[in-house]
Amino acid sequence: GTSIFNDSEVIIIDKVLKELNDNLTIDNSNVSIISFYSAQVNRIKENINKKAYKKLSIKTSTVDRFQGAESEIVIVSTVRNNSYKDIGFAKSFERINVAFSRAQKLLIIVGSAEMLTSSSNGASNSVYQKIFDTINNYNGIIAAERLL
């Protein structure tokens, strides 16, 4: 009833999956798509046509259910982007650890870097800032406009 979703991120994830499918040289690459919100996971399941990605073995899950698991490629959908800077479940250090430490080869974060690094919960801001600084150092940030 209170879970939230972000359709823009669902569209971006679909584009990312297409890029992965078209450019990976290995078939059956394990891709896990995880989110802090069950409504987002359900939206992704409804809108991603797994049959279109023949090279990918795709699983979707909430961050909480993904605890203890890992995957070659992990796509994290952070969902939140609001004017009052509330990142909700994404502020929990335990959830941050699970979400961003389970990729064996590639981690893709779909979300608002500005939102995560300047949230109303200052305790997690520095963690997210370090994550995005590292990604930026490797020229790994891609603007959503480029994919939409």
Side-chain angles (χ1 to χ4, degrees):
T2 59
S3 189
I4 61 172
F5 58 89
N6 182 325
D7 282 331
S8 294
E9 288 188 14
V10 174
I11 293 167
I12 291 168
I13 290 168
D14 191 42
K15 304 261 186 196
V16 167
L17 290 171
K18 183 180 182 333
E19 289 290 322
L20 288 171
N21 189 73
D22 292 348
N23 293 299
L24 287 175
T25 57
I26 301 170
D27 287 353
N28 292 322
S29 293
N30 292 318
V31 178
S32 293
I33 307 167
I34 61 176
S35 178
F36 298 102
Y37 299 94
S38 60
Q40 183 74 351
V41 171
N42 292 335
R43 226 19 167 215
I44 291 166
K45 285 179 183 178
E46 292 169 4
N47 291 288
I48 302 300
N49 181 359
K50 293 180 184 179
K51 293 177 184 174
Y53 308 111
K54 295 180 180 174
K55 291 183 181 179
L56 308 177
S57 175
I58 302 171
K59 295 179 182 174
T60 55
S61 178
T62 61
V63 170
D64 290 344
R65 289 194 179 162
F66 198 68
Q67 189 169 347
E70 53 185 24
S71 186
E72 291 174 302
I73 301 168
V74 175
I75 301 171
V76 180
S77 176
T78 62
V79 181
R80 295 273 189 149
N81 194 0
N82 53 60
S83 60
Y84 46 92
K85 304 290 187 195
D86 179 14
I87 60 173
F89 294 138
K91 66 186 168 202
S92 161
F93 292 114
E94 293 83 4
R95 287 185 174 113
I96 293 170
N97 180 51
V98 171
F100 300 115
S101 68
R102 304 305 180 190
Q104 296 169 324
K105 295 182 180 177
L106 177 64
L107 172 65
I108 299 170
I109 303 167
V110 179
S112 171
E114 180 183 339
M115 176 76 186
L116 292 170
T117 58
S118 63
S119 75
S120 59
N121 180 343
S124 60
N125 292 358
S126 63
V127 173
Y128 283 114
Q129 188 63 57
K130 288 177 185 176
I131 291 168
F132 287 106
D133 286 346
T134 301
I135 294 168
N136 196 40
N137 286 340
Y138 288 94
N139 297 317
I141 294 179
I142 300 172
E145 295 82 26
R146 199 173 123 197
L147 295 172
L148 296 174

